[in-house]
Amino acid sequence: MRKIVVGAFTSLDGVMQAPGGPDEDPIGGFRHGGWAVPYFDEAMGEAVDAMFAAPFDLLLGRKTYDIFAAHWPYAGADDPIGTLFDRITKYVATRNAAFDPTWKNSRTLGPDVVARLRKLKLEDGPNLLTQGSTELLQTLFRHDLVDELHVFVFPVVLGGGKKLFADGAAPVALRLESSKTSPSGISANRYTRAGAVETGSFEFEQPTEAELERRRKLT
């Protein structure tokens, strides 16, 4: 059985858009491309290496695939990430049925992405690791397909842009498996599924008249 693992760089306000450079993804007038670069330190590099340590295939939305395909195949043989990404299988979610990926070891997921991913998860093989791909992530969260998250939170507020989570995600409880903070202030957190969302209450066992009145006003 394979797992779907999300790898995400986010700001404190949850924005994922264009962490790597000003021309990476200016869609929607986004003006802060490259926001992750000033914070990237040795400890962050080690955390990313740990995420890439276990065998995986890449699971990418079309826009992130295009960004990666225009960069990593040209990184050179001495770049370990470029060499790794070249070698492994890349699965691409795209609405364009005619799209023909040119980066080697790439294949599209077909017209029914959810059904294809559910089938892939039942197969033997390496985990499916996302990078970027905010639109695809919304589909994964909505259909409760994510098994693990590696969320790297950078100490910056961007005020708007494409976000990790949107309304409509399937509710799920998560367990924090590990958390490290880099010298530059990046929080690297790994979460796994922990069942259904549990709730509780800090309210009095017997609500006050004021509380009952407040509830009546809500309805």
Side-chain angles (χ1 to χ4, degrees), residues 18 28 30 32 41 49 107 109 111 116 128 149 199:
F30 189 74
H32 303 293
D41 54 20
D49 288 344
R107 59 194 68 173
L109 289 167
R116 177 68 173 131
L128 303 165
L149 296 96
T199 63

Side-chain angles (χ1 to χ4, degrees), residues 18-215:
D23 298 312
E24 186 175 87
D25 183 11
I27 290 174
F30 189 74
R31 298 182 293 107
H32 303 293
W35 52 268
V37 177
Y39 298 96
F40 217 96
D41 54 20
E42 184 176 350
M44 176 61 182
E46 291 173 354
V48 171
D49 288 344
M51 179 176 61
F52 291 157
F56 67 92
D57 291 335
L58 277 174
L59 175 59
L60 304 171
R62 170 65 188 278
K63 294 183 180 69
T64 298
Y65 176 85
D66 286 344
I67 292 168
F68 277 29
H71 177 83
W72 290 115
Y74 308 96
D78 59 341
D79 188 305
I81 294 180
T83 302
L84 172 63
F85 283 2
D86 246 11
R87 174 174 51 82
I88 64 177
T89 301
K90 280 78 66 177
Y91 291 98
V92 190
T94 176
R95 298 182 183 89
N96 182 1
F99 177 64
D100 183 19
T102 57
W103 190 7
K104 67 180 182 180
N105 301 322
S106 298
R107 59 194 68 173
T108 62
L109 289 167
D112 192 336
V113 169
V114 172
R116 177 68 173 131
L117 288 175
R118 284 179 173 151
K119 184 177 180 181
L120 283 172
K121 290 185 70 175
L122 293 174
E123 297 176 356
D124 292 329
N127 289 336
L128 303 165
L129 175 66
T130 74
Q131 296 284 279
S133 309
T134 50
E135 289 186 34
L136 172 61
L137 290 184
Q138 306 319 312
T139 298
L140 299 181
F141 292 136
R142 186 164 59 251
H143 292 276
D144 200 20
L145 291 170
V146 174
D147 301 288
E148 185 173 321
L149 296 96
H150 294 250
V151 183
F152 303 89
V153 183
F154 288 68
V156 60
V157 174
L158 299 174
K162 299 176 183 177
K163 293 194 173 185
L164 173 59
F165 288 104
D167 289 346
V172 62
L174 299 171
R175 178 182 298 107
L176 180 63
E177 300 288 357
S178 64
S179 182
K180 296 181 180 179
T181 302
S182 79
S184 67
I186 303 165
S187 176
N189 308 290
R190 183 172 75 90
Y191 300 91
T192 58
R193 296 175 64 97
V197 175
E198 297 182 5
T199 63
S201 176
F202 292 115
E203 298 172 350
F204 296 135
E205 185 175 344
Q206 179 61 45
T208 65
E209 286 299 323
E211 169 62 14
L212 293 173
E213 178 61 21
R214 184 191 70 83
R215 294 179 191 179

